[in-house]
Structure formats: C-alpha cells, structure tokens
Amino acid sequence: MQRNTYGQSPPLHHPVPQHVSTVPQLRSPPPPPGSAQSQQQGYAPTGQQGNPYQQQGGTSGNVFGAYGQFMNDPTAQVAAQFGQTAFKQGQEYVEQNIGRYVNVAALKHYFNVSNSYVINKLFLVLFPWRHKGWSRKQAVGANGQEGWYLSPRDDINSPDMYIPVMGLVTYVLLSTLIAGLKGAFNPELLGVTATTGLSVVIVEIIALKLGCYLLSISSQSQLFDLIAYSGYKFVGIIVTITVAEILNGGKGTGGWIGWAVFAYTFSANALFLLRSLKYVLLPETNGQPSGPMQTDSRAKRNQRTQFLFFYSYIVQLFFMWVLTRA
C-alpha cells in the first residue's frame, strides 16, 4: 500500500450495488425498565402499559393529567361555581312556583322514610292481621301537650308517598316486562299502563273527596293521606302479577292460582285500609290535631263506617281487578 506525501493512506472506495433492495428497519428492543432512557422514550414495565396514550411521544396524550390541569384552572372553578348557583336558583324557583298549588313542606314529610320503615311497611301491608296498634304517634310539645304527627321514619302507622310512587313505577315496568317476555312489547304500552294507573288513583281520590264532603269530614292533611293510602294497592297488585306469572308458567293472572293470590292480596289491602283510615274517616273529639271534627250523632257515625267499609272492600276490589287485568 502506497502512502501519500503526508504519510496517510488513501481512502478506500467500496463498490456501490446497482440494484438496491429495500431492507426493513429493525427496531431495537426497549431499554430495561426504570432506566433513564426508558423514561425519556415513554416505555413502561410489563403490566403498567394500560394507557396507550401515555406512550405516544413520551409526555403527550396524558388524559388524566389534562383533566387535573383543567380542574385546577381558575376558569373551570368559576364555571363550576356558576353551575351550582344556577342549579340552586332553579330549585328555589321551582319550589316557589309549585308552592302556590302544593304545600312542599308538608309533602316532604311524606317522603321522610328509611330503609327499615319501607321494609316494615311492606310487611304491614301484606300481613296486616299481625299488627296490633294502629294509632298514629304524635310529637309531645314543651308544655306536655300532643302536637303534630310524627314522620313515617319514626312511626310505622304514618302514611308515606315513597311506597305508592315506587309501587306505581314498578307496576308500569313489570307490566311492560311481562309483555316483552311474551313478545307483545310496544313502546306505547309504557304510556298506556302509566295512564291507567294514574287514572285509577285520580278517580279514587275524587270519589274519596266527594264522600268526605258529603259526610262533613275535613282534615288538614286529609288530601295527602288519601293519596298515600290509595297507592298502597300497587303492593298487592305487584305481588299478584309476579306470583301468578311464575306459578302459572307465564299464563298471566288467570286460573285458580292467580285468583287465590288476588283474593289474598285484596283481603290484606282491604284490612289495612280499614284499620288505617279510621282516624281520617271516623274522627272523634279527642284533641287530635285534625281539627274539631265531631261525630254529631250515631247515624252520622254509621254512615261514615259504611263509607269506610265500601271504600276498603268494594272500591278496592274493582280497581285492583282492573289493574291486574290491564
């Protein structure tokens, strides 16, 4: 090999191929976990690569970090406070407008329930003959005198709105579910069933108010009490439909099994109403907060007793039969 003037060997020239084939680029294996290179390139150990967005570009695509920065943004905090204020003002507006027609404070009393109350109340509606005391409890004032009735949470004999409302909703959903299992589901069935249930309750309340007016029965909380008691029938109706469908093999409430369950739930509901509505439809002058409602004569009391019996048995028999066949 010859050397140039400066004592250096000349550069080597390699032949360049005329036809160059495309060679795939090989990726190097990821660096060991925990190394500085792996943290810079966005690699994570096995089992910690759940979020693919955290591995694209190293530090880009961090959704949770962006969310945390968004929540720490002063503008987002101001927007959240504005939303809370708007919701509070909207709630106050609704309460003020509804308060013109409905006593919201009195209505909240009927939704003051607990889990233990709901369970015990359902047991009471289905097995009323096991219950002994039917008198409602009253709060005692500072001077030792009895005052207002206790809420359902504190008195098992107090009527509530939670069970009737949930009973109506469950009745509608159960009826549509059974229709769907039989292949006869129709979206309009929800509206039809709900309208039927509400119509029965409204007609029943109108009949009760008319009877109370003709018999000169008045009470401060009479309307809400009557609405609550009229909705307890849905408990027996739901039990009737469910048991009859299961034992009859999906054939409905017909047959002797369906009629036997219906007779039981109807009798239980009638006895429950007969005992519970006594303080509303048969008031006495015993200092209760329902007002100075007197039983003028024995004839007037007999009329009220007959009305209570007619409502508890005859009216409930008709409406429960309609709802179970709807």
Side-chain angles (χ1 to χ4, degrees):
M1 181 180 297
Q2 297 180 356
R3 296 181 178 270
N4 55 9
T5 308
Y6 298 96
Q8 297 179 356
S9 59
L12 300 177
H13 299 277
H14 299 279
V16 180
Q18 298 298 327
H19 301 282
V20 181
S21 60
T22 303
V23 180
Q25 297 180 358
L26 299 179
R27 297 178 180 268
S28 60
S35 62
Q37 185 179 1
S38 65
Q39 296 179 0
Q40 293 177 359
Q41 297 181 2
Y43 291 100
T46 304
Q48 299 181 5
Q49 301 178 3
N51 191 354
Y53 299 100
Q54 296 178 356
Q55 303 174 11
Q56 299 178 1
T59 58
S60 62
N62 193 337
V63 179
F64 296 99
Y67 179 77
Q69 294 176 1
F70 174 77
M71 293 305 297
N72 293 329
D73 189 0
T75 305
Q77 295 178 359
V78 172
Q81 294 178 359
F82 177 77
Q84 294 177 358
T85 304
F87 176 77
K88 183 177 180 181
Q89 292 178 354
Q91 185 178 7
E92 293 178 354
Y93 176 80
V94 172
E95 291 181 356
Q96 291 176 359
N97 287 270
I98 296 179
R100 299 178 182 178
Y101 309 98
V102 180
N103 191 345
V104 179
L107 188 61
K108 290 181 178 179
H109 170 86
Y110 291 87
F111 285 94
N112 186 14
V113 299
S114 61
N115 294 332
S116 60
Y117 167 81
V118 173
I119 296 175
N120 293 329
K121 193 72 171 187
L122 292 176
F123 185 82
L124 175 60
V125 173
L126 295 176
F127 306 97
W129 46 80
R130 299 176 60 90
H131 193 59
K132 301 300 180 181
W134 293 87
S135 300
R136 295 185 59 179
K137 298 179 182 180
Q138 298 179 355
V140 180
N143 53 1
Q145 297 180 355
E146 294 181 347
W148 60 91
Y149 286 123
L150 294 179
S151 62
R153 176 185 294 269
D154 302 320
D155 184 14
I156 188 62
N157 294 323
S158 177
D160 70 282
M161 293 287 190
Y162 177 80
I163 294 178
V165 171
M166 295 305 298
L168 175 60
V169 174
T170 306
Y171 166 74
V172 174
L173 297 179
L174 179 63
S175 300
T176 54
L177 175 62
I178 293 175
L181 294 177
K182 295 180 179 180
F185 175 76
N186 190 345
E188 297 179 356
L189 186 62
L190 288 169
V192 173
T193 308
T195 303
T196 303
L198 289 175
S199 300
V200 167
V201 174
I202 293 174
V203 172
E204 185 175 334
I205 295 301
I206 294 176
L208 277 173
K209 291 294 294 182
L210 180 61
C212 292
Y213 173 77
L214 296 177
L215 296 175
S216 302
I217 303 174
S218 61
S219 175
Q220 295 178 356
S221 60
Q222 182 191 89
L223 179 60
F224 288 153
D225 290 351
L226 295 180
I227 294 176
Y229 284 119
S230 65
Y232 286 115
K233 69 170 63 66
F234 289 102
V235 177
I237 293 172
I238 293 171
V239 172
T240 301
I241 296 176
T242 304
V243 175
E245 286 291 333
I246 294 176
L247 297 182
N248 282 338
K251 297 181 180 179
T253 55
W256 68 270
I257 297 179
W259 282 111
V261 178
F262 174 79
Y264 173 81
T265 55
F266 157 72
S267 302
N269 181 74
L271 180 60
F272 168 77
L273 293 178
L274 189 65
R275 297 291 182 86
S276 300
L277 284 173
K278 184 177 181 180
Y279 78 97
V280 177
L281 301 181
L282 298 176
E284 297 289 349
T285 58
N286 52 6
Q288 293 183 356
S290 54
M293 299 180 295
Q294 300 181 3
T295 305
D296 318 73
S297 61
R298 185 177 299 272
K300 179 70 68 174
R301 181 175 179 82
N302 291 336
Q303 293 177 0
R304 294 176 176 176
T305 303
Q306 294 173 2
F307 176 71
L308 176 59
F309 180 85
F310 178 79
Y311 168 74
S312 301
Y313 284 90
I314 307 301
V315 174
Q316 295 301 312
L317 175 62
F318 174 73
F319 283 136
M320 290 185 67
W321 179 81
V322 170
L323 291 175
T324 52
R325 298 300 185 274

